[in-house]
Amino acid sequence: MSLELYNTMGRSMQKFTPRTPGKVGFYGCGPTVYNYAHIGNLRAFVFQDTLARSLRFLGYEVTHVMNVTDIGHLTGDNDDGEDKMVNQAREKGQSVLEVAEFYTKAFFDDIDRLNILRPTVMCKATDHVDQMIRLIQRIEANGHTYSAGGNLYFDISTFPGYGALANFNPDDLKAGTRVDIDENKRNPFDFVLWFTKSKFENQALVWDSPWGRGYPGWHIECSAMSMEYLGEQFDIHTGGIDHIQIHHTNEIAQSEGATGKKWVNYWLHNEFLVMDKGKMSKSSGEFLTLQYLIDKGFDPLDYRFFLLGGHYRSQLTFSWESMESARNSRRSLVQRLARITENAEAVPESLPANSPANEWIDRFRADIEQDLSTPRALSQLQGLIRDTDVPPAEALAAVARMDQVLGLDLIESAASLVASSKETGDIDDGRIDALIAERTDAKKAKNFSRADEIRNQLKESGIILEDTASGTTWRRSIGEK
Ligand code: AMP
Ligand code: ZN
């Protein structure tokens, strides 16, 4: 068996062959740091992480590059709307860089809480304007640009393959399918490489360039930074499906327009997380953050578990019921693992060749090799821990191996559940129930400080209280922070 990935370029499953045997270079479009990431954005980053982890699990050495967009991303992808960063800075009464710094930190907090491994390189657009300018000069030297109204545009008529990723031919669609308000464009699909004059007279950050003082279009940063860290040709590029039509289509035109060579071999796109009501977006102002899920009593890993339960190319609908069911499944998984942990002798570093656990790992690997099928891989994990022929220590070694891909902290959570059960062994259930009753009375009497005190006292003993519509229930902690 070998790894097969669904390539948006060509819309088919394709055997993965890296440019250099054993090594993979991959670039994933990162966050625009003008606000908190919403849980839909975080799906894109859990997906990138799953890809990086899977490739490493399969033995590849991975260079994972992710950008941080801190300039130039307009509210419309098609060079329209306002700059998202500048809008937010104005609203908050801060500078663009202050806004960027604040939300970049918030982004790192989120990805850490979701167990997303830090990419090999994280790069900020504002640190790479020189590289962007040099790349635009190459595009210009190859005859792909024109100046109009003070801005420099990419002329898509000079790039015959334009639209291949999105499977569309701009000539077929020219007749008014998209309304473009920029009258400088010769073709509505042309796009800005460098702005000097635009509707934003008050653009916060500007740089000198051969085309005048101004700032880059949004798409160029990804071409420039990916080439900076991965070379002019590399293996994999990812993003959400919303990027296929414009952002990635334009990235390809600029990159290949500059180098004259094929840029990326495999394009992977994650489907959207949608709300019951429809699309989740930052700009609409209606979105859920990871912190909001935590405030509602969920562990970040419940959300990760929920995402892994769907294939990255299937749309997922968020609901509180599905989050609860993910939480319950993750808890029972950890509880079962805790029982295995209690029965396990020393866990071997590697599995003996004749271990029955190997078969489960082989199946798990085969599922991952089929376009990263995490739902099927999770069912192999469930099968493994129910297989009574597998000795407990070997089961744990196999779970640890699978968790390299899943990133659910399974071994640590099970160990911490075992430890907290031991510590709390001497609190009997009657004592817990009495404290819960006292807390309920305290709440009724509006004595919230006593109620909180009881919750914290129990938490220190490894007992987590949960308030439900039918009263307060308790369970042992599975390692919540
Ligand atoms: P942004 O910070 O808006 O530039 O988006 C960051 C990443 O999240 C991009 O790869 C988007 O394609 C992706 N994305 C945006 N919304 C969603 C969503 N609702 N579900 C999944 N991915 C999304
Ligand atoms: Zn990008």
Side-chain angles (χ1 to χ4, degrees), residues 29 37 74 87 119 164 171 183 187 207 242 245 257 262 271-272 319-320 326 456:
C29 289
L74 309 187
N87 269 355
D171 293 337
E183 59 204 23
N187 179 309
W207 290 262
D242 56 324
Q245 190 86 14
K262 184 174 181 187
E271 248 294 351
F272 261 39
S319 69
W320 293 109
N456 292 337

Side-chain angles (χ1 to χ4, degrees), residues 14 24 65 113 125 156 199 220 238 263 274 316 338 441 457:
Q14 295 172 8
V24 182
V65 179
R113 292 190 288 190
I156 65 154
K199 43 204 170 295
I220 195 72
T238 71
W263 181 43
V274 293
L316 262 181
D441 289 344
Q457 180 189 341

Side-chain angles (χ1 to χ4, degrees), residues 324-363:
E324 273 157 27
S325 116
R327 174 166 67 187
N328 293 341
S329 309
R330 191 178 73 86
R331 272 185 199 157
S332 39
L333 180 62
V334 171
Q335 276 153 359
R336 195 173 271 272
L337 274 172
R339 285 199 292 279
I340 299 179
T341 306
E342 280 170 327
N343 294 324
E345 314 270 312
V347 178
E349 286 270 306
S350 59
L351 283 169
N354 62 356
S355 168
N358 286 319
E359 242 179 72
W360 291 106
I361 295 192
D362 289 346
R363 281 185 218 153

Side-chain angles (χ1 to χ4, degrees), residues 10 184 211 224 427 438 454:
N184 295 316
W211 313 281
I427 299 195
E438 190 192 336
I454 293 172

Side-chain angles (χ1 to χ4, degrees), residues 4-8 13 43 46-48 50-51 238-239 241 267-272 307-316 370-375:
E4 288 194 9
L5 296 171
Y6 184 87
N7 195 343
T8 307
M13 287 285 278
R43 181 178 194 195
V46 169
F47 161 59
Q48 284 193 37
T50 304
L51 175 60
T238 71
I241 46 155
W267 286 89
L268 272 58
H269 291 97
N270 66 275
E271 248 294 351
F272 261 39
L307 292 179
L308 295 177
H311 187 257
Y312 76 89
R313 282 196 296 116
S314 306
Q315 200 174 77
L316 262 181
Q370 270 300 298
D371 198 28
L372 318 176
S373 180
T374 52

Side-chain angles (χ1 to χ4, degrees), residues 190-398:
D190 291 346
F191 56 94
V192 176
L193 294 166
W194 189 267
F195 287 101
T196 60
K197 286 211 185 55
S198 68
K199 43 204 170 295
F200 322 120
E201 297 305 333
N202 58 347
Q203 184 63 14
L205 295 176
V206 283
W207 290 262
D208 287 325
S209 85
W211 313 281
R213 203 163 162 71
Y215 58 99
W218 173 42
H219 315 294
I220 195 72
E221 68 175 81
C222 290
S223 297
M225 291 194 277
S226 62
M227 289 191 204
E228 173 81 3
Y229 297 104
L230 296 170
E232 292 186 356
Q233 296 178 285
F234 58 92
D235 299 300
I236 302 178
H237 193 312
T238 71
I241 46 155
D242 56 324
H243 284 343
I244 299 173
Q245 190 86 14
I246 300 176
H247 183 50
H248 289 169
T249 289
N250 291 351
E251 284 186 23
I252 293 172
Q254 319 164 133
S255 303
E256 301 189 358
T259 65
K261 293 184 285 201
K262 184 174 181 187
W263 181 43
V264 167
N265 287 339
Y266 300 87
W267 286 89
L268 272 58
H269 291 97
N270 66 275
E271 248 294 351
F272 261 39
L273 175 85
V274 293
M275 304 304 289
D276 286 343
K277 282 181 280 169
K279 196 180 159 197
M280 166 172 290
S281 83
K282 278 194 218 177
S283 25
S284 74
E286 254 185 38
F287 66 86
L288 296 182
T289 58
L290 186 63
Q291 186 58 48
Y292 191 70
L293 301 192
I294 296 169
D295 294 344
K296 289 275 176 194
F298 292 99
D299 188 291
L301 295 183
D302 294 332
Y303 183 57
R304 186 174 177 108
F305 189 86
F306 164 72
L307 292 179
L308 295 177
H311 187 257
Y312 76 89
R313 282 196 296 116
S314 306
Q315 200 174 77
L316 262 181
T317 304
F318 178 87
S319 69
W320 293 109
E321 294 74 42
S322 46
M323 273 303 291
E324 273 157 27
S325 116
R327 174 166 67 187
N328 293 341
S329 309
R330 191 178 73 86
R331 272 185 199 157
S332 39
L333 180 62
V334 171
Q335 276 153 359
R336 195 173 271 272
L337 274 172
R339 285 199 292 279
I340 299 179
T341 306
E342 280 170 327
N343 294 324
E345 314 270 312
V347 178
E349 286 270 306
S350 59
L351 283 169
N354 62 356
S355 168
N358 286 319
E359 242 179 72
W360 291 106
I361 295 192
D362 289 346
R363 281 185 218 153
F364 180 94
R365 180 185 299 108
D367 290 336
I368 292 299
E369 285 181 332
Q370 270 300 298
D371 198 28
L372 318 176
S373 180
T374 52
R376 291 213 307 262
L378 277 174
S379 65
Q380 308 300 352
L381 167 70
Q382 298 283 7
L384 162 75
I385 63 172
R386 281 173 175 74
D387 183 346
T388 46
D389 288 342
V390 181
E394 290 174 22
L396 290 184

